[in-house]
Amino acid sequence: MTAEGATTPPRLPLDWIAASLRRERVRAGLSLSELAKRAGIAKSTLSQLEAASGNPSMETIWALAVALGVPFSALVEAPAPAVHVIRAGEGPTVHSEQSSYLATLLSASPPGARRDIYTVTLEPGTVRDSEPHIPGTVEHIVVSAGRVQAGPRGEAVQLGPGDYMSYRGDVPHLYEAVEPGTKFVLIMQHM
């Protein structure tokens, strides 16, 4: 508490900012020196921020966001979960008054996104390792038959019929059938 009895505002987690800065700088293809120059800050300050040390001001973070061409929130908001799963029968569902039609929203398309849709058949015995796709790719899977282990390496999740998941496709990921006759719809979203 301060002398006036007000609480001190919480500090932003430096590891969030550090990870976001590194991710966005690499995505933009900029060196530490180039980003520091564009943002008008010292290279040592940027280096400290990427090492999760220091105490960045809003102005410093704002200058970095502008130099990277990303919203301020991209550098300070809590990291989104890397994997998002909706089990069969879960999720926001709406129904029709005119028929037995039920629709469950699994994922809304963000503005400016492009999506490619695939049907996939996979049998047990082999693992499909996929290298990272272009930066910003997100994959969505809806299982129709069998069981599949899928997702980023080290974070794969087993899914069954009707299950949905989303995860970053711009990192190494895999697909492995757990049961014969495994089928799923794969949607690749490119930003």
Side-chain angles (χ1 to χ4, degrees):
M1 293 215 161
T2 64
E4 295 82 32
T7 59
T8 304
R11 287 185 48 191
L12 291 170
L14 291 177
D15 55 338
W16 291 0
I17 295 170
S20 297
L21 275 173
R22 272 190 305 279
R23 179 190 68 236
E24 296 301 333
R25 182 177 60 77
V26 169
R27 202 174 276 170
L30 298 173
S31 67
L32 280 168
S33 297
E34 182 60 26
L35 178 55
K37 180 180 171 185
R38 289 184 185 189
I41 64 171
K43 180 181 172 185
S44 59
T45 299
L46 179 56
S47 181
Q48 286 177 343
L49 290 177
E50 284 199 10
S53 62
N55 187 14
S57 67
M58 179 166 68
E59 293 78 12
T60 298
I61 297 169
W62 199 275
L64 288 163
V66 169
L68 288 164
V70 299
F72 177 84
S73 61
L75 299 181
V76 298
E77 70 185 340
V83 177
H84 178 80
V85 175
I86 297 176
R87 298 290 181 190
E90 295 179 354
T93 302
V94 294
H95 69 279
S96 169
E97 293 178 356
Q98 301 171 352
S99 70
S100 62
Y101 182 91
L102 292 173
T104 302
L105 177 64
L106 301 178
S107 173
S109 180
R114 189 184 84 219
R115 288 187 169 168
D116 302 326
I117 302 173
Y118 304 87
T119 58
V120 178
T121 303
L122 193 60
E123 295 297 329
T126 61
V127 175
R128 166 67 175 113
D129 277 309
S130 182
E131 293 302 315
H133 302 300
I134 61 174
T137 299
V138 175
E139 293 194 358
H140 304 263
I141 291 177
V142 180
V143 178
S144 56
R147 298 191 75 69
V148 65
Q149 183 87 8
R153 289 183 194 150
E155 297 180 77
V157 175
Q158 191 174 121
L159 305 169
D163 288 347
Y164 160 82
M165 78 180 287
S166 67
Y167 54 89
R168 291 182 52 194
D170 58 0
V171 297
H173 52 284
L174 60 88
Y175 319 92
E176 180 178 10
V178 178
E179 293 179 1
T182 295
K183 296 180 182 181
F184 58 92
V185 174
L186 169 64
I187 302 162
M188 293 180 65
Q189 171 184 300
H190 308 286
M191 299 298 280

